[in-house]
Amino acid sequence: MDQRHHSHHRPQHSNNHHDNYQSSFKRDMDDSGGGNFQHKRFRPGHKHHQPTGPSTPPSSPPTQSLSVQRQLYERDFPLYKQPVEVGHFSLDSERRFFNDARQLRYYVEPEKSCPNFNLRDGYRGRFVKRDDGVKEKLDHILRWILANRSKLQSKETAASSSPCALGVDIVTWRGHLTKLLTTPYETREGWLLAVTRVGGTLYISEVETEAARQDRENRTERHEEMMYWGYKFEQYTCADDARSLPDPGGVVNTNEAFCTVVQTRLAEHRLLFSGEVDCRDKDPQAPSPPACYIELKTSLEISTPKQRSNFHRFKLLKWWAQSFLPGVPRIVAGFRDHDGVVVSVETYHISKISQLIKNETNCWKPTVCMNFCCEFLSFVKSIVTEDNPRDVHLFSWEPHREVTYSIYRDSQYSFLPDWYIREIHHPHPPQT
Ligand code: A3P
Ligand code: MG
């Protein structure tokens, strides 16, 4: 991988369930891990956003679509600054927000390399599932921003013309960025991203596609149960504090979450995003966040060369993108059989994943993911140039198509709540 990739950032990290990583999950559901890239050519639209230069000249009108074709993004790795944790928050068993780390858990290494964890245990009687029909949009991040404005505003931004200037270009969930990173390789699921500009900052919030809603409402019983397995693995490997042990007899409640808030820069885009973190290294000497964080995953055990290749080509792409973004350096993966029994546990270092996949033919490239994301953000900036909390530009993408958009005012897509707009417009005393 490119030099800059190494020097600027060795991230990694975990998802939150605002992260809709349905595609990786569904591929996993197949249990075969199958699926092939398709090499359809895109149909270039007229007035096409040129994904080569940093920006279009100020005089030219904004282009109307953005190509997702991989070859266009095969160039040097863009600058991606080491993400810095600027804060964190917790959501309790009832999804209440706390501006602290009460939900952070500590990783406890399994005693045996073949731990025999039964991931099906507790599904019937000790499981409280978050209602994924409730769309929280960016609300938790917005609450965090209001509670921590002083940490964000540099003297420069506080002195600037707009009282609501946050000093960042983009506010979003890590999971939305993960989707952007994997878009050039996605052949199954499209996305919708709503964008509103306030105080010079672009807020990006996902809208569930009709297809995703149908999938969610028509999950099979097995699918529902398998979605529990990943959380059960977390319970087998995490303790509530650095000195205690996991409690596999407890209740799994997927409302609970610990989220990191990180700041970083992708080329010229200053980003502020949040993502759920599964746990941290329990050693008090471990490096400071996000470097001490650990992402937990489960996957079907690999028994054939075909399965290994699919794991590298499809699953590691999602795993890498999710953790690289916030700078989480490690993934601990529990490999399970078809009955949900974990038969082995392995650690993946995010910085080594590109090495690991190098011999795979037709494989994904980190640079394509990052360059596409960067171009998408430039495309959004060129289109959403006016501040107005009532306006939403809805960016839409379907596999084998280009990214396009449409504009709405006071619609069902508006997502910035009044309590946020009111508060953010109050001048805030700069931190001294
Ligand atoms: P796995 O990671 O073992 O697949 P995360 O890994 O991002 O921390 O997510 C934790 C778990 O959420 C996943 O475990 C999986 O069990 C569950 N999950 C995966 N995809 C999901 C989806 N689309 N919706 C809800 N939950 C999902
Ligand atoms: Mg996880």
Side-chain angles (χ1 to χ4, degrees):
M1 203 184 299
D2 171 281
Q3 274 290 28
R4 284 197 279 177
H5 190 178
H6 289 298
S7 56
H8 286 288
H9 161 31
R10 260 181 222 105
Q12 23 323 4
H13 164 104
S14 104
N15 208 353
N16 66 70
H17 307 122
H18 309 283
D19 301 4
N20 256 328
Y21 30 132
Q22 293 212 338
S23 26
S24 77
F25 191 70
K26 264 201 274 165
R27 221 180 280 272
D28 194 35
M29 299 296 306
D30 298 347
D31 266 2
S32 61
N36 290 307
F37 286 136
Q38 294 171 29
H39 295 278
K40 288 209 185 132
R41 302 256 153 194
F42 79 111
R43 298 164 305 133
H46 63 288
K47 278 177 113 194
H48 199 73
H49 182 79
Q50 285 302 315
T52 42
S55 61
T56 30
S59 55
S60 45
T63 50
Q64 302 303 302
S65 65
L66 176 69
S67 170
V68 173
Q69 212 184 16
R70 288 168 216 162
Q71 304 89 290
L72 294 169
Y73 301 99
E74 294 206 12
R75 50 179 189 267
D76 285 353
F77 201 85
L79 178 128
Y80 190 63
K81 282 188 70 178
Q82 183 74 49
V84 173
E85 183 179 81
V86 290
H88 47 244
F89 59 86
S90 294
L91 304 174
D92 74 0
S93 59
E94 292 166 53
R95 215 67 190 159
R96 288 175 300 211
F97 175 98
F98 294 90
N99 188 28
D100 59 38
R102 68 183 66 193
Q103 295 292 348
L104 176 58
R105 293 174 298 176
Y106 296 78
Y107 178 67
V108 179
E109 207 178 316
E111 273 181 24
K112 296 168 280 187
S113 64
C114 178
N116 270 314
F117 297 145
N118 176 11
L119 303 180
R120 306 183 81 154
D121 178 56
Y123 177 66
R124 298 269 164 223
R126 302 194 317 281
F127 178 31
V128 177
K129 186 175 173 282
R130 180 171 77 90
D131 181 351
D132 49 15
V134 175
K135 301 303 173 196
E136 299 172 322
K137 297 171 271 195
L138 299 186
D139 290 5
H140 299 307
I141 302 180
L142 303 179
R143 283 200 68 174
W144 181 89
I145 290 174
L146 292 185
N148 298 275
R149 271 170 93 179
S150 55
K151 290 184 193 160
L152 281 175
Q153 288 178 320
S154 63
K155 293 193 180 79
E156 232 175 303
T157 56
S160 80
S161 50
S162 173
C164 46
L166 288 180
V168 299
D169 300 309
I170 310 284
V171 169
T172 193
W173 282 108
R174 177 269 313 279
H176 303 353
L177 295 173
T178 303
K179 283 199 173 175
L180 288 170
L181 259 61
T182 59
T183 296
Y185 299 102
E186 180 60 51
T187 59
R188 299 183 172 194
E189 287 167 359
W191 45 249
L192 289 170
L193 292 169
V195 182
T196 293
R197 200 184 118 136
V198 172
T201 295
L202 295 161
Y203 295 81
I204 305 181
S205 180
E206 186 172 42
V207 171
E208 188 173 46
T209 63
E210 183 51 28
R213 189 186 62 80
Q214 283 179 21
D215 285 354
R216 178 169 57 77
E217 286 173 357
N218 297 298
R219 286 179 196 133
T220 61
E221 185 44 45
R222 176 151 173 101
H223 187 166
E224 284 289 342
E225 183 181 337
M226 287 177 79
M227 286 177 51
Y228 166 79
W229 295 359
Y231 299 108
K232 185 65 189 178
F233 180 63
E234 294 173 7
Q235 191 193 52
Y236 275 117
T237 52
C238 294
D240 287 343
D241 60 74
R243 289 158 304 280
S244 59
L245 291 173
D247 173 22
V251 169
V252 169
N253 186 324
T254 59
N255 287 296
E256 296 174 4
F258 167 79
C259 295
T260 181
V261 182
V262 303
Q263 220 173 328
T264 184
R265 187 154 62 87
L266 171 57
E268 70 271 32
H269 309 296
R270 294 167 300 170
L271 316 178
L272 178 78
F273 59 85
S274 176
E276 186 172 343
V277 168
D278 291 334
C279 58
R280 61 157 288 158
D281 189 326
K282 66 180 161 66
D283 183 349
Q285 310 285 313
S288 56
C292 61
Y293 292 151
I294 301 170
E295 170 62 34
L296 301 172
K297 291 288 182 197
T298 63
S299 196
L300 181 68
E301 61 182 321
I302 296 165
S303 337
T304 68
K306 181 74 185 162
Q307 284 176 336
R308 176 168 309 274
S309 166
N310 283 331
F311 174 76
H312 287 166
R313 292 175 60 206
F314 306 110
K315 192 157 277 190
L316 279 186
L317 163 60
K318 310 270 176 170
W319 289 10
W320 171 84
Q322 183 192 31
S323 288
F324 179 77
L325 280 164
V328 172
R330 281 183 286 169
I331 297 172
V332 171
F335 288 94
R336 53 145 186 97
D337 63 19
H338 292 278
D339 299 320
V341 175
V342 173
V343 292
S344 69
V345 172
E346 254 175 79
T347 298
Y348 291 89
H349 291 269
I350 299 303
S351 59
K352 293 186 184 157
I353 287 181
S354 59
Q355 269 302 108
L356 207 64
I357 60 163
K358 241 183 33 199
N359 294 328
E360 226 43 85
T361 49
N362 247 322
C363 206
W364 57 277
K365 294 189 179 86
T367 197
V368 169
C369 301
M370 297 303 282
N371 283 317
F372 172 73
C373 182
C374 190
E375 288 299 336
F376 173 76
L377 298 178
S378 299
F379 178 57
V380 170
K381 276 186 186 172
S382 75
I383 308 247
V384 189
T385 52
E386 274 185 43
D387 263 45
N388 192 340
R390 296 164 61 191
D391 291 350
V392 164
H393 281 71
L394 190 62
F395 289 83
S396 131
W397 177 75
E398 284 298 327
H400 319 300
R401 297 271 183 272
E402 299 179 352
V403 178
T404 56
Y405 68 93
S406 39
I407 310 173
Y408 301 84
R409 175 160 293 176
D410 297 330
S411 72
Q412 55 176 314
Y413 300 118
S414 293
F415 63 88
L416 290 175
D418 290 340
W419 54 259
Y420 182 73
I421 300 299
R422 265 196 313 272
E423 200 60 35
I424 206 74
H425 280 102
H426 285 146
H428 188 78
Q431 203 180 26
T432 46

